[in-house]
Amino acid sequence: MNNMSKSLVIYYSLQGHTKRVAEMIASKSGADVFRIESEEDYNLGTVLDISKQHIKNQHKPILKSSNLNIDDYDHIIIGTPVWWYTYVAPIRSFLQNHSLEGKTVRFFSTHAGANGSTFTDLEELAIGAKILEPRGFYTYENFCWDTIENEVSNWLDV
């Protein structure tokens, strides 16, 4: 993946774990970075209840506008926290508004113990994309950022 000038890391992050992994990936790959942001974002106090309903109802939150043009990129890496065993609703909004057809796509997650159906669910939204091996990164109790950095390097070299 090195020397790919047209790579983009897209991510959503609430607590900063997914952001930090996205920045590691971008740093190691030379990719640009784009953060997905909702107009009305979640907060830590209510996220579990609200996100469960959003996932169940296939909710598509309104995202903050941007001038991102993913047509400028060939390789897209998309990162999400895992909530209720799948990806977060802002990722759904983004992917339903941006075609990944003809792109090479990799997904990554940050999770507290399991990816659930995150990657198979995401692949359903990546119509026409070439999907490379996804990777989940454990970012809960007793994890180590140095270990994750090594895991990121190993994953990118695949």
Side-chain angles (χ1 to χ4, degrees), residues 50-62:
I50 293 172
S51 66
K52 187 174 190 177
Q53 287 304 311
H54 283 182
I55 289 164
K56 182 179 173 184
N57 299 332
Q58 299 284 301
H59 179 69
K60 293 184 283 291
I62 297 169

Side-chain angles (χ1 to χ4, degrees), residues 97-121:
N97 291 327
H98 296 85
S99 171
L100 297 176
E101 188 167 348
K103 307 284 184 198
T104 300
V105 176
R106 281 184 156 174
F107 297 111
F108 76 91
S109 72
T110 55
H111 62 82
N115 283 307
S117 60
T118 300
F119 298 133
T120 54
D121 293 347

Side-chain angles (χ1 to χ4, degrees), residues 98-151:
H98 296 85
S99 171
L100 297 176
E101 188 167 348
K103 307 284 184 198
T104 300
V105 176
R106 281 184 156 174
F107 297 111
F108 76 91
S109 72
T110 55
H111 62 82
N115 283 307
S117 60
T118 300
F119 298 133
T120 54
D121 293 347
L122 283 168
E123 286 177 19
E124 291 175 8
L125 296 176
I127 299 162
K130 177 185 177 189
I131 308 291
L132 301 181
E133 186 70 29
R135 179 63 200 252
F137 299 97
Y138 176 80
T139 55
Y140 194 50
E141 295 177 342
N142 302 317
F143 77 97
C144 171
W145 282 113
D146 288 342
T147 301
I148 290 176
E149 193 159 3
N150 289 334
E151 291 172 354

